[in-house]
């Protein structure tokens, strides 16, 4: 059974810091891995999607890497801003259909 | 593009009543829609997958008679919580996937519906 874990569960940092959020999964047989952002009481915003054949994806200040063999992905946030405060979820995509979500990292960036 | 809406965004109902939540793909045809449930400070759990014109496939542990899912058109799926009880209170999120919605079988998520059962 695929399990997805995210570390740390919560993070509070001053503005300007570079951050690394971690995601690990137990079964390397995945199609893709996706990172999402969720603001309190809101739906999900897709940040980055990495295909299983790819190593990383970049969008602006965000960079996500994927190491399938070790069952790990990291989301790197450069020069964090208060507007980055949210919960970050990673999800692995299995069987082309199912998204299995991680436990989330609650990020707070203070001025 | 690839916008998914949900209605209502928030609903409060009395125990024993039924509540219907709509999920619509606004600018693409959704061949498959997914319904998730999220408890406070927890992650999303897939409840069911529905393909247009066919019966939904429910995840283990999800009562299909409790959570009725209909996907009658390529742009609309509904989730009906029947005889709702306080333990059904949760945040329900739908997602949709279609041929033109994006590459890699990407799912696009709605804004969620907060259900509170009194």
């Amino acid at each position: 059974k695929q399990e997805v874990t995210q570390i740390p569960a919560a993070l509070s940092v001053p503005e300007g810091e570079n951050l690394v959020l971690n995601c690990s999964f137990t079964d390397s047989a995945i199609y893709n891995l996706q990172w999402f952002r969720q603001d309190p009481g809101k739906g999900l915003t897709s940040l980055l999607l990495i295909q299983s054949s790819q190593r990383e994806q970049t969008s602006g200040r965000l960079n996500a890497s994927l190491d399938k063999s070790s069952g790990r992905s990291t989301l790197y946030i450069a020069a964090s801003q208060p507007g980055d405060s949210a919960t970050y979820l990673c999800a692995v995509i299995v069987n082309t259909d199912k998204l299995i979500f991680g436990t989330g990292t609650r990020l707070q960036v203070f001025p | 593009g690839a916008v998914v809406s949900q209605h209502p965004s928030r609903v409060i109902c009395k125990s024993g009543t039924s509540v219907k939540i709509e999920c619509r793909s606004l600018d693409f045809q959704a061949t498959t829609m997914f319904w998730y449930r999220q408890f406070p400070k927890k992650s999303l759990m897939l409840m069911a997958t529905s393909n247009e014109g066919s019966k939904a496939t429910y995840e283990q542990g999800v009562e299909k008679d409790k959570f009725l899912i209909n996907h009658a058109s390529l742009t609309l799926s509904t989730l009906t919580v029947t005889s709702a009880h306080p333990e059904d209170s949760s945040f329900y999120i739908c997602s949709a996937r279609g041929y033109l919605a994006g590459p890699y079988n990407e799912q696009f998520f709605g804004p969620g519906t907060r259900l509170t059962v009194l």
Side-chain angles (χ1 to χ4, degrees):
Chain A
K1 179 185 174 184
Q2 178 73 269
E3 292 184 1
V4 183
T5 306
Q6 291 184 243
I7 295 174
L11 188 60
S12 182
V13 298
E15 182 176 10
E17 279 204 6
N18 299 323
L19 308 172
V20 176
L21 307 182
N22 298 292
C23 173
S24 61
F25 46 96
T26 54
D27 188 345
S28 61
I30 65 171
Y31 279 85
N32 302 317
L33 184 142
Q34 198 164 358
W35 282 92
F36 296 88
R37 168 186 173 138
Q38 185 177 30
D39 293 287
K42 304 293 184 182
L44 303 182
T45 300
S46 178
L47 298 174
L48 291 164
L49 185 152
I50 312 175
Q51 295 181 77
S52 60
S53 58
Q54 296 176 322
R55 287 276 185 175
E56 65 178 345
Q57 282 283 347
T58 298
S59 176
R61 294 182 294 108
L62 305 179
N63 175 276
S65 66
L66 174 64
D67 184 343
K68 267 187 64 174
S69 60
S70 67
R72 293 183 180 184
S73 176
T74 60
L75 178 67
Y76 178 83
I77 304 176
S80 59
Q81 303 171 358
D84 294 330
S85 299
T87 295
Y88 290 81
L89 296 166
C90 75
V92 297
I93 300 159
V94 300
N95 300 331
T96 74
D97 263 352
K98 292 186 180 181
L99 274 168
I100 299 175
F101 283 86
T103 46
T105 294
R106 291 190 304 280
L107 172 66
Q108 183 180 10
V109 182
F110 53 90
Chain B
V3 178
V4 177
S5 70
Q6 278 184 245
H7 179 81
S9 58
R10 186 179 293 266
V11 57
I12 300 173
C13 69
K14 291 183 179 180
S15 185
T17 61
S18 294
V19 175
K20 180 183 284 189
I21 302 169
E22 293 185 347
C23 176
R24 293 182 185 270
S25 57
L26 299 185
D27 52 4
F28 67 99
Q29 293 184 323
T31 51
T32 306
M33 285 186 168
F34 305 84
W35 287 95
Y36 296 83
R37 181 173 182 177
Q38 186 177 33
F39 291 100
K41 296 187 178 181
K42 298 292 184 183
S43 195
L44 280 76
M45 301 295 293
L46 178 65
M47 297 175 66
T49 302
S50 72
N51 293 297
E52 186 265 338
S54 59
K55 289 184 178 180
T57 301
Y58 290 81
E59 295 298 299
Q60 191 173 9
V62 178
E63 300 176 60
K64 61 181 180 181
D65 295 330
K66 174 76 168 175
F67 300 100
L68 300 179
I69 291 172
N70 183 278
H71 191 170
S73 77
L74 284 171
T75 59
L76 173 65
S77 176
T78 60
L79 167 68
T80 301
V81 184
T82 62
S83 186
H85 291 283
E87 59 266 28
D88 298 324
S89 299
S90 193
F91 193 56
Y92 293 88
I93 304 179
C94 73
S95 69
R97 186 185 74 202
Y99 295 122
L100 300 180
Y104 323 128
N105 284 326
E106 188 173 357
Q107 294 179 27
F108 295 90
F109 285 80
T113 297
R114 171 75 59 196
L115 170 63
T116 302
V117 185
L118 302 176

